[in-house]
Amino acid sequence: MVEIDPNKLEPGRTSVDHGLTARIKRSDPWRSAFRHAQIDTPRGRALQSFSNVFLHVYPVKIPKRVLNLRYSLRLGFIAAVLFGILLVTGIYLMFVYTPSVGSAYGDMQNLKTGVGFGQLIRNVHRWSAHLMVLVVALHLVRVFYAGAYKKPREFNWVIGVMLLLITLGFSFTGYLLPWDQLAYWAVTVGTNLVHYVPLVGGRLQDLLIGGPQVGQNTLLRFYALHVAVLPMLLALMLTVHIWRVRKDGFAVERTSVGTFSEAATERPAGAAPAAESMALAAPELYGGRVRLLGVVDRESITEAARPVDDTVFTWPHLLVRHVVVALGTAAVVLGLAVLFSAPLRGLANPNLTPEPAKAPWYFAGLQELLSRFDPLVAGILLPGGAVLVLLLLPYIDRNPDTRASHRKVAIALFSLLLAIAVILTVIGTFFRGPGWQFIAPWTHSYIEF
Ligand code: HEM
């Protein structure tokens, strides 16, 4: 690879460092790891991004409106941070946990007294998992209402739905690992549902639990899924997802004929921002954005028709915000972990069904449905249909307009389904007690986390 000397690109400008720091940064060992010098010019910063694998995840420049919290509510980023926390704490827990029915429960008890920060780490892991389900679901809802699943982001929406399913898979497989009554019975209820899948249900259930009932084989399979298969799948999908966010560009509001954004109001009459002038010229090609494909000499850019620049550098503007959000997320998780401990009921007992045998809150809506309809309908057809509609949504909804006032039908239908899902979840979580009887949550609480 030909190494570009950034100093030559920007005559007269050198590294921002002085003295010893500058000498270290000019040394061979340093330059073998960091190929660029840190130069405080637009080109220097661009080069820095191009040659750094972490910075390269981000575009060099982003439209100003992306800095606005309202743009994405940072939900996708928060989900990624939670995944990072789950990985780190999960690895710690792996050091002290054996997926065996003889020792798993004891390992959980041992976390309290025999492992440094064991219980705290378990709490952080558990709370991050709950929050991740919530945040990923909210992210989906945000993307829907913003119409950000429309061209050219259809495929990224599909990847997103898969990420949601994987996230739920993580929670479901992780739930069994403590091997307590809560774990055993929630997973027994869940895996029994698989039986109702038409044609292959029995085989699928056998494959999942590895025997006539939840036992050692199930624990081992769930463990392998939880610590190896699902993390790899999620990491792979997430890489594609974030790559596509980068390539598809940040969504702008779009009418049926073109794109526009808030920045349009700040610009001098007649001058279009860079992204939008190209996007307006060929919306199908650019989807409301432009890409920075390379660094070129200043002379090669035609000055005459240069549009008003509505972009800012990702570093520091967006990155600083991301660091703040990441720290905030970590603080919330830590706060919850200190205040509320992860539950551990009695040792799993296949002969003693707890009352009520409740699923965690994110499956409580499904359990509520199951109490009302045939298992095939409530456990397979309705959730399966919902997932299928979600996956196909960008291809069913062909309306290119993203403005709420021009998507009344889609928004009304989605809001109705969302309201039903939320109501079922609230009823299942707070208003159900022994025998799945209706109870007032202020008299007795049977919430399972
Ligand atoms: C593990 C779960 C997920 C992670 C970590 C994740 C991460 C991200 C990140 C970091 C972004 C960039 C902007 C933002 O923060 O919104 C993003 C955008 C996006 N996500 Fe996700 N996401 C996940 C799940 C989903 C789901 C469930 C969907 C929808 C079904 C989805 C659809 C999208 C789309 C379409 C965009 C582009 C939106 C835009 O440009 O405004 N993602 N995601």
Side-chain angles (χ1 to χ4, degrees), residues 243-293:
W243 176 250
R244 291 297 292 236
V245 172
R246 178 112 164 48
K247 290 290 155 189
D248 294 341
F250 297 92
V252 288
E253 206 169 40
R254 181 200 283 262
T255 68
S256 48
V257 289
T259 57
F260 63 87
S261 75
E262 297 145 340
T265 52
E266 294 159 12
R267 153 188 1 127
E276 285 157 35
S277 59
M278 292 178 79
L280 282 169
E284 292 308 305
L285 274 180
Y286 295 105
R289 55 180 291 278
V290 285
R291 298 167 189 163
L292 183 50
L293 292 175

Side-chain angles (χ1 to χ4, degrees), residues 71-72 74-77 79-80 132 136 139-140 142-143 148-149 153 156-157 160-161 163-164 167 234 238 241-242 245 249-251:
Y71 172 72
S72 67
R74 309 273 183 262
L75 290 168
F77 178 71
M132 182 156 167
V136 171
H139 175 52
L140 179 147
R142 195 290 296 173
V143 169
Y149 58 90
R153 290 175 198 82
N156 218 13
W157 168 271
V161 176
L163 283 171
L164 174 65
T167 307
L234 198 121
L238 197 55
H241 192 60
I242 290 174
V245 172
F250 297 92

